[in-house]
Amino acid sequence: MIVLGIETSCDETAAAVYDSAHGLRSHCLYSQVATHAPFGGVVPELASRDHIRKLLPLIDAALASAGVTPSDLGGVAYTAGPGLVGALLVGATVGVGLALGWGVPAVPVHHMEAHLLAALLEAEQPAFPFVALLVSGGHSMLVEVAGLGRYRILGETLDDAAGEAFDKGAKLLGLPYPGGPELARMAERGRVGQFRFPRPMLKAPGLDFSFSGLKTALALRVRDLQASGALSEGQRADLAADYQQAIVDTLVGKSLRALEATGHRRLVVAGGVGANRVLREQLRRDLSRSGATVYYPRIEFCTDNGAMIAYTGCQRLLRAPAAYSSVRVEARPRWPLDELTEP
Ligand code: KG4
Ligand code: ZN
């Protein structure tokens, strides 16, 4: 089964080809970062228009680089949500249109399910069951994954997502959009332990997160320091290092607790924040101490990509082909993960 995957839920246009017999055959991506950078965040209408401009050439490139033609395809998978509605509609209408024209089923894919399955694209795959830590710009959650479509949300953020905490922290430190990777880079030059920040919810029971108090703590710190003059480069780097450490400690602490609570020994990390080096190293170290193993998608598949959409669509299509026989364009800006069922 060969499936074309299309991703347009936010500010990345991506297309990929997954082959159930031979694995990933191609993946192409166009990032809109430069388009949105002057505005300090994603402008939804600009995102939609850019997807329209870039998607068809990217699909051509993905098919060509995979060495397949539309007649080789068994289906077209597209991100149906959650995400920006205009952006989703571009991928959904193109995906359904192509599927209709090519006479193959169109498979609407849940973006977060695709993130949590992205690690299965790697040679070193986690077996089911596992706990997934999903940390992106829009979501932070711990999910128990018993199998395809068998998800139980163990904990979620009560306010900001972890990626949002990185992005807002970066803004407070005067760093450009997209802030998360910039803050991480700045933190590399800073010293941990110069500033004290709360580890939100780490002491509280349960597996929920909350990051807005941490962001406020940083804002207050910055304000106090600025009262006696502009922040030095050293101060900004130290603030970044301690702020990042507070987020990482919280994510690691809750992940360990989720493994303990479920009795599982495998943790899969997914979503853009999964690209964070300090988080990756600390998880690897702390989990191996407790006899558990952590799995990651390769860095480029932590952030949004078409490969995870093609993979997820292919798995669902293989298990339940009859579910995709009708023609319907699906775009769901809000789509709770636990509404998904086993195919
Ligand atoms: O999964 P993703 O690409 O898009 C969403 O579905 O949201 O995640 C993007 C988020 C952004 O908030 C970005 O700042 C954050 O992931 N991010 C990082 C790093 N790389 C991306 N945060 C911390 N450290 C990084 N290295
Ligand atoms: Zn994403």
Side-chain angles (χ1 to χ4, degrees):
M1 169 75 74
I2 302 179
V3 171
L4 168 71
I6 294 172
E7 158 63 34
T8 64
S9 66
C10 188
D11 59 347
E12 249 101 29
T13 318
V17 175
Y18 182 79
D19 177 339
S20 60
H22 299 102
L24 189 64
R25 304 255 305 236
S26 69
H27 59 101
C28 300
L29 182 136
Y30 171 80
S31 170
Q32 301 180 354
V33 162
T35 305
H36 303 291
F39 305 97
V42 178
V43 183
E45 182 55 27
L46 293 183
S48 312
R49 293 181 199 183
D50 224 16
H51 287 311
I52 292 174
R53 273 191 291 268
K54 297 295 186 329
L55 184 55
L56 287 171
L58 265 180
I59 291 172
D60 279 340
L63 293 175
S65 131
V68 302
T69 62
S71 62
D72 299 317
L73 295 175
V76 177
Y78 64 92
T79 301
L84 302 170
V85 70
L88 289 169
L89 273 168
V90 177
T93 48
V94 167
V96 172
L98 289 177
L100 255 180
W102 293 338
V104 295
V107 185
V109 169
H110 192 293
H111 182 83
M112 301 313 290
E113 173 176 49
H115 268 305
L116 67 81
L117 297 179
L120 300 176
L121 282 160
E122 302 306 325
E124 198 193 333
Q125 285 188 7
F128 295 119
F130 55 77
V131 171
L133 172 67
L134 280 181
V135 272
S136 70
H139 296 84
S140 286
M141 50 174 102
L142 280 159
V143 185
E144 181 178 40
V145 181
L148 188 71
R150 297 173 59 198
Y151 311 127
R152 183 165 70 97
I153 295 175
L154 303 168
E156 284 184 276
T157 184
L158 304 178
D159 38 61
D160 293 347
E164 216 175 340
F166 268 101
D167 295 338
K168 288 180 175 171
K171 212 167 208 171
L172 288 168
L173 293 172
L175 293 167
Y177 162 88
E182 290 283 338
L183 189 145
R185 242 189 312 279
M186 174 160 257
E188 300 277 339
R189 301 195 296 274
R191 298 163 299 173
V192 172
Q194 304 304 304
F195 297 99
R196 285 176 66 84
F197 286 116
R199 268 56 178 158
M201 309 277 289
L202 202 49
K203 291 218 174 76
L207 295 166
D208 287 331
F209 304 101
S210 161
F211 290 108
S212 72
L214 175 61
K215 176 196 62 194
T216 305
L218 176 65
L220 294 175
R221 263 299 181 177
V222 168
R223 197 193 60 189
D224 289 351
L225 291 166
Q226 279 174 337
S228 42
L231 294 182
S232 70
E233 272 307 291
Q235 279 175 321
R236 287 166 76 213
D238 289 345
L239 283 166
D242 272 321
Y243 183 76
Q244 169 175 263
Q245 195 58 51
I247 297 174
V248 168
D249 285 348
T250 305
L251 295 175
V252 172
K254 293 279 178 176
S255 299
L256 285 168
R257 198 181 289 173
L259 288 171
E260 214 170 279
T262 55
H264 299 320
R265 301 169 73 81
R266 287 176 290 273
L267 179 78
V268 169
V269 183
V273 180
N276 185 271
R277 188 186 63 79
V278 175
L279 175 68
R280 292 169 86 97
E281 284 173 7
Q282 195 161 319
L283 276 174
R284 210 176 287 284
R285 196 182 60 228
D286 291 6
L287 260 67
S288 72
R289 236 181 247 150
S290 64
T293 312
V294 59
Y295 296 84
Y296 297 97
R298 70 196 81 165
I299 299 257
E300 62 199 305
F301 294 165
C302 279
T303 46
D304 291 349
N305 65 86
M308 65 184 192
I309 306 301
Y311 175 80
T312 304
C314 184
Q315 300 309 314
R316 285 198 165 265
L317 193 54
L318 281 171
R319 283 175 180 70
Y324 306 105
S325 52
S326 66
V327 176
R328 208 172 56 221
V329 176
E330 278 193 48
R332 296 181 60 179
R334 287 182 196 285
W335 186 3
L337 180 69
D338 48 8
E339 278 185 12
L340 292 179
T341 52
E342 201 175 344

